[in-house]
Amino acid sequence: MKPAIAKFLLEHTALTRRYFLGCGVAGIAAVGSLPLLADDRNRDPKLQKSLDALESWLTDPDEFRDVSRGKPLPHSLPEDQRKEVGLTRETWKLELASDPDNPAKLGSPLTKENNTALDFAGLLQLGEKHAVRFAKAMTCLNVGCPLGNGIWEGVPLREVLWLTQPREDLRRIFYYGYHNDDPKQMFRSSLPVGRVLEDPFDLPPVILCYKLNGQWLSPERGGPVRVVFPEGYGFKSIKWLTHMYLSNLFYANDTYGEQNNDVDSPLKTFCATLSLPAKVKANEPIPVTGYAQVGISGLKKVQVWVQKDGEELPPNDRYFAQAPWSDAKILPPPEVWGGGIADNRIPPSTMGFDDETGQPTTWPIRLSMAHWATLLPGLAPGEYTFRCRTIDDKGIGQPLPRPFRKSGHSAIEQLPITVEA
Ligand SMILES: Nc1nc2c(c(=O)[nH]1)N[C@H]1C(S)=C(S)[C@@H](COP(=O)(O)O)O[C@H]1N2
Ligand SMILES: [Mo]
């Protein structure tokens, strides 16, 4: 099985990349991170070289797909203008004030007016003691497939929150970034204060993020500072952060809610293919690769199923729960992480990784990505439909337990295969 997939990947690199780019995920084309190839000790060096040169588990910060609003896009402003509006590390300032409409009682708000706003040096100083790093896929609730997978680094928001000396009437925090000083362009998100102060289960904290894959956060990724909300979809992770309001409001007031989106939805588990030949010869095994987004409920299995077109399906089984699914292989951690991290070394004290070995302590990593591969048995000539689905750690098959589109993509992918005589 291994050599067959290796050969296939080599031959179809361009195709795989294009397919993946078409899905909007520049960085995770992942063929290079397919470690099933790494198991093979007698590999042809030419094959090794091409595999090493391919894309990887971590996405290069420049290769994330960008989902940004604003005219002009804040990250497109020339550097001197970014300096002027506080979008460089030298000039950045963050205000944390009480919400005038639903005031929280604060002993010491951080404001420009009182010269107490937080600057970048102050944030880094907090970082010396409190900085955290964790892996996370950034996924737009509306786009569906991940925009990129990275290791995000920053200071837990609660450390900054405590500086304001909150006392009472604090139930929610809402926040936004630079938006060309045009209220119509404001893109706002919000979180309950409880989530900011405490991390349920073993989730990472909500952070004020200034590094991605060990490098300063670029303007396009929201630098100098963005929020990163670990278990959320992208719209919670506001870029070019400038303002936070501590509020007694008790419900979400996110800009994303205005489009019928479920703004309280945590990341779902789902899978998709990266490469699947559209046409194959009869009775020849069919190599398939793909990725999975590991949502809040983890990832136990990836499964595949090929259905002959026209074949009867049981009635009232809209999620194909009764289909004869078979398990694909979830690939182990890659040898080459990619994403531009220095020396192929996961940054020290990244949550979920062992510092000494640089290896993950569990796999796959929740809120991040995994890759999978399988070799389907050869088929008789005809038209078929290929499907893949995940089973989460609770044993629930995709798209359940939360199948509704506006809470994030989870529909079962289906692709045609033609088997030629
Ligand atoms: N200030 C601001 N932050 C923002 C956005 C925006 O338009 N403005 N877009 C959000 C959305 S909808 C998503 S999906 C993510 C995308 O992050 P990325 O561009 O780094 O991939 O950023 C979020 N943060
Ligand atoms: Mo988004």
Side-chain angles (χ1 to χ4, degrees), residues 65-67 69 140 147 187 221 226 234 237 239-240 256:
R65 174 154 169 195
D66 184 28
V67 180
R69 296 158 189 229
C140 180
L147 309 168
F187 190 77
R221 293 282 70 70
R226 83 185 291 178
S237 295
K239 300 189 273 195
W240 320 296
Y256 238 43

Side-chain angles (χ1 to χ4, degrees), residues 67 69 139-143 147 187 233-236 256 261:
V67 180
R69 296 158 189 229
T139 302
C140 180
L141 187 145
N142 288 328
V143 173
L147 309 168
F187 190 77
Y233 283 93
F235 66 94
K236 290 279 182 192
Y256 238 43
N261 291 322

Side-chain angles (χ1 to χ4, degrees), residues 29-145:
V31 184
S33 77
L34 291 179
L36 83 155
L37 304 162
D39 299 345
D40 186 9
R41 274 161 224 217
N42 305 316
R43 191 176 315 130
D44 183 310
K46 269 190 272 138
L47 171 61
Q48 181 65 57
K49 207 164 153 218
S50 357
L51 290 171
D52 288 348
L54 295 172
E55 310 257 5
S56 50
W57 187 71
L58 290 172
T59 308
D60 204 290
D62 295 338
E63 292 187 356
F64 273 62
R65 174 154 169 195
D66 184 28
V67 180
S68 297
R69 296 158 189 229
K71 268 196 182 136
L73 291 173
H75 62 69
S76 71
L77 298 173
E79 165 136 21
D80 55 334
Q81 230 170 310
R82 278 192 285 115
K83 212 175 231 167
E84 218 173 278
V85 300
L87 287 185
T88 64
R89 292 193 290 280
E90 297 73 36
T91 60
W92 178 78
K93 287 228 158 91
L94 173 66
E95 293 197 282
L96 271 91
S98 181
D99 169 14
D101 296 330
N102 300 277
K105 288 202 187 71
L106 307 182
S108 178
L110 309 184
T111 63
K112 286 186 186 164
E113 200 183 358
N114 300 338
N115 215 15
T116 53
L118 183 70
D119 63 12
F120 199 76
L123 183 64
L124 286 193
Q125 210 176 343
L126 287 169
E128 278 171 29
K129 188 158 171 212
H130 301 289
V132 297
R133 297 165 193 88
F134 55 85
K136 169 189 169 52
M138 189 63 68
T139 302
C140 180
L141 187 145
N142 288 328
V143 173
C145 57

Side-chain angles (χ1 to χ4, degrees), residues 32 101 103 128 181 285 289 291 354 362 406:
D101 296 330
E128 278 171 29
D181 299 321
T289 66
Y291 69 90
D354 181 293
T362 59
K406 290 306 251 180

